[in-house]
Amino acid sequence: MSDGTTPRPYRSYVYAYPHKTAYRPLPAPAPSLAALWRDEPKDALSLYAHIPFCEVRCGFCNLFTRIGAPDELTTRYLDALDRQAAAVREALGDRDPVRFATAAFGGGTPTFLTAAELERLCDIAEKRTGVDLRAVPLSVETSPATATADRLALLAERGATRLSIGVQSFVEAEARAAVRPQRRADVESALGRIRDTGVPVLNIDLIYGIDGQTEETWRSSLDAALAWRPEELYLYPLYVRPLTGLGRISPAADREWDERRLRLYRYGRDRLLDHGYEQVSMRMFRRTDAAPLGPDDYACQTDGMIGLGCGARSYTSALHYSFDYAVDMREIRSIIDAYTETEDFSRAEVGRWVDAGEARRRHLLQSLLQAAGMPVAGYEERFGSSPFADFPGELGRFESLGWLDEGAPEGLLRLSPEGLAHSDGLGPELFSPSVRAAMAAYEPK
Ligand SMILES: C[S@@+](CC[C@H](N)C(=O)[O-])C[C@H]1O[C@@H](n2cnc3c(N)ncnc32)[C@H](O)[C@@H]1O
Ligand code: SF4
């Protein structure tokens, strides 16, 4: 039940559970991919390729990415990705048919690669893993400076169904404050080039909570985005993390900033709801008249994820695994260099085992954080127990905080609007003690 305290609304963005900071080097002998995948379902896999390169390092960004990659490094990187893809395909074996349901290229900025390199990336994905990129939803992230006509045309031709561009703010002073210098005119022309491709889904990322941002300037960014009638919009609350550009100069989060972000969130949500969008999760909004083409959030919600590249995670039902991870530029460089020198990709090196208890938490977390909520029967069918019996303390507390929708239809566990607004405070409360301890012990580097 409630301990009387309302948790901070912005603790962490739960886009995957367990978080990568809970992964650890796996003790020797590291498990072979062949053993890990042997008994896994392989008929609806997701493919994710991670490109850890950008033109600039934005002040807010703690993603695994580096700047200033010379041509020979991107070539070496794709060479390694090719070797890794071949090793993964071999590990999947021939016993069961291998089929992919979705694909995504993320980063970093995949369109940092040239059109010819993007072509090679598509070839590697198709020839090595067997995915047919034109037959599955394919989402690709891009940025204003790298969304050039030749790259976008290549991606459209190879089957991209969704192009997602980080704009963050249409207000130049805010972009500067977020240490993401960009000209409004360049953003608008990149959006024009994306629309010219005819790729069916355009997603625009915006950030709220930037220094100097007010409701008026937030509205002007929202309206500038809405003018493009994007099929999807992601509204991200600004986080300032250790070792990022902003983390080095900004004071730690305080109550006033929390309140300001909550106000801007509500403002943005209401504006999008008034303009023909539905809310899918705290961050994601979809135009109600746009045909859904793929998963709501390709950021790895399911088991059966094949991640390629050195920042990508892979998921089997029992193990989530990846490579080493860092935020600091020097560390990132050395991890990428080590990846490009790797010859043997047949084992999982860093990861976290997901037992039955963690699988329950993961299911609850990832469905409860969707605006549509979680059908209780689906949970019961999968786990043979009730979520109310498995998580009495957590769900009781959410209820007492007014975070559960009391008017939800029978059999549906759904967040109230306030619960959804507090997704980033509520999610971490569902982390297990051992995941929490591992995350707390993780030393940012
Ligand atoms: C991989 S990036 C998008 C593609 C491309 N690299 C770009 O920046 O244009 C993913 C998105 O996460 C969001 N993001 C990253 N770090 C964030 C932070 N610290 N606070 C809020 N949003 C953040 C940004 O909106 C960003 O566009
Ligand atoms: S926000 Fe995008 S462009 Fe900026 S550093 Fe992060 S991944 Fe790169």
Side-chain angles (χ1 to χ4, degrees):
M1 281 294 152
S2 171
D3 61 7
T5 54
T6 307
R8 306 283 300 262
Y10 301 107
R11 286 176 61 196
S12 92
Y13 175 18
V14 185
Y15 53 85
Y17 178 78
H19 191 264
K20 211 167 162 179
T21 53
Y23 293 12
R24 291 293 181 273
L26 297 163
S32 78
L33 300 190
L36 288 171
W37 284 96
R38 185 156 38 235
D39 298 320
E40 293 288 314
K42 302 179 191 72
D43 55 345
L45 297 170
S46 304
L47 180 73
Y48 177 76
H50 181 252
I51 305 299
F53 306 117
C54 291
E55 293 210 312
V56 289
R57 179 66 162 175
C58 306
F60 53 83
C61 188
N62 69 344
L63 298 174
F64 185 86
T65 183
R66 65 161 281 176
I67 51 172
D71 292 350
E72 57 79 26
L73 177 59
T74 50
T75 304
R76 265 197 288 136
Y77 187 79
L78 289 173
D79 291 345
L81 202 135
D82 194 356
R83 294 194 295 277
Q84 186 193 5
V88 171
R89 183 62 190 86
E90 195 179 327
L92 292 175
D94 300 323
R95 201 186 60 184
D96 311 310
V98 172
R99 278 194 214 98
F100 287 86
T102 67
F105 302 155
T109 309
T111 47
F112 179 88
L113 299 180
T114 63
E117 287 171 329
L118 286 168
E119 172 138 62
R120 182 165 176 223
L121 176 64
C122 294
D123 287 343
I124 292 170
E126 294 200 324
K127 291 192 185 125
R128 293 298 191 196
T129 71
V131 65
D132 180 354
L133 294 176
R134 290 188 184 86
V136 299
L138 168 62
S139 178
V140 185
E141 288 174 5
T142 187
S143 70
T146 60
T148 57
D150 60 336
R151 290 164 166 123
L152 296 175
L154 180 277
L155 291 169
E157 197 266 314
R158 296 302 295 253
T161 53
R162 178 180 185 268
L163 292 170
S164 174
I165 184 165
V167 170
Q168 325 312 354
S169 174
F170 283 86
V171 178
E172 288 181 7
E174 287 175 11
R176 268 198 307 280
V179 196
R180 159 96 172 193
Q182 64 190 9
R183 294 200 351 241
R184 165 86 182 255
D186 295 339
V187 172
E188 299 284 353
S189 54
L191 285 160
R193 291 191 294 275
I194 290 178
R195 278 312 199 196
D196 287 346
T197 63
V199 168
V201 176
L202 161 65
N203 175 71
I204 298 179
D205 291 338
L206 295 176
I207 294 183
Y208 55 92
I210 301 170
D211 216 16
Q213 194 176 35
T214 63
E215 286 185 13
E216 288 68 44
T217 64
W218 180 222
R219 188 185 59 213
S220 75
S221 265
L222 290 163
D223 289 354
L226 286 170
W228 290 96
R229 305 268 303 135
E231 284 70 25
E232 294 174 7
L233 268 160
Y234 267 80
L235 308 186
Y236 287 93
L238 177 64
Y239 273 89
V240 173
R241 295 293 191 202
L243 303 182
T244 60
L246 288 182
R248 292 175 215 271
I249 54 175
S250 296
D254 61 19
R255 277 276 168 203
E256 189 280 324
W257 188 36
D258 285 350
E259 291 302 323
R260 194 155 60 86
R261 282 181 289 180
L262 274 176
R263 272 200 311 278
L264 293 169
Y265 163 76
R266 294 192 181 105
Y267 188 90
R269 174 197 63 197
D270 293 347
R271 193 143 191 96
L272 297 192
L273 295 181
D274 283 349
H275 283 76
Y277 286 74
E278 62 178 335
Q279 186 164 19
V280 177
S281 64
M282 182 181 115
R283 287 170 176 73
M284 186 190 177
F285 295 82
R286 182 189 290 131
R287 223 176 74 202
T288 41
D289 60 351
L293 276 166
D296 294 339
D297 185 348
Y298 56 88
C300 335
Q301 301 296 338
T302 49
D303 296 334
M305 162 75 68
I306 303 281
L308 300 176
C310 73
R313 285 159 297 177
S314 298
Y315 305 150
T316 68
S317 53
L319 183 73
H320 291 190
Y321 61 95
S322 66
F323 297 96
D324 197 8
Y325 161 80
V327 176
D328 178 75
M329 199 49 86
R330 268 193 314 261
E331 296 281 350
I332 291 176
R333 283 175 189 225
S334 67
I335 295 172
I336 294 174
D337 285 342
Y339 174 81
T340 64
E341 284 156 20
T342 302
E343 293 294 335
D344 179 4
F345 283 105
S346 66
R347 289 175 186 278
E349 306 287 346
V350 176
R352 186 166 190 95
W353 296 98
V354 178
D355 64 16
E358 296 292 11
R360 285 176 161 80
R361 285 182 190 277
R362 183 164 186 262
H363 182 102
L364 178 63
L365 256 169
Q366 296 190 336
S367 16
L368 197 56
L369 294 179
Q370 300 293 308
M374 182 184 87
V376 175
Y379 180 100
E380 290 172 345
E381 202 174 303
R382 180 163 173 198
F383 300 112
S385 59
S386 150
F388 302 101
D390 290 344
F391 301 99
E394 292 90 338
L395 292 176
R397 178 170 151 77
F398 298 165
E399 188 178 14
S400 68
L401 286 165
W403 285 353
L404 298 183
D405 180 0
E406 289 175 356
E410 182 74 24
L412 187 68
L413 192 55
R414 189 167 67 190
L415 295 182
S416 63
E418 272 314 277
L420 209 52
H422 286 81
S423 291
D424 286 10
L426 177 157
E429 295 209 11
L430 289 169
F431 295 178
S432 69
S434 69
V435 164
R436 254 179 240 218
M439 290 175 73
Y442 176 81
E443 301 245 352
K445 63 174 186 183

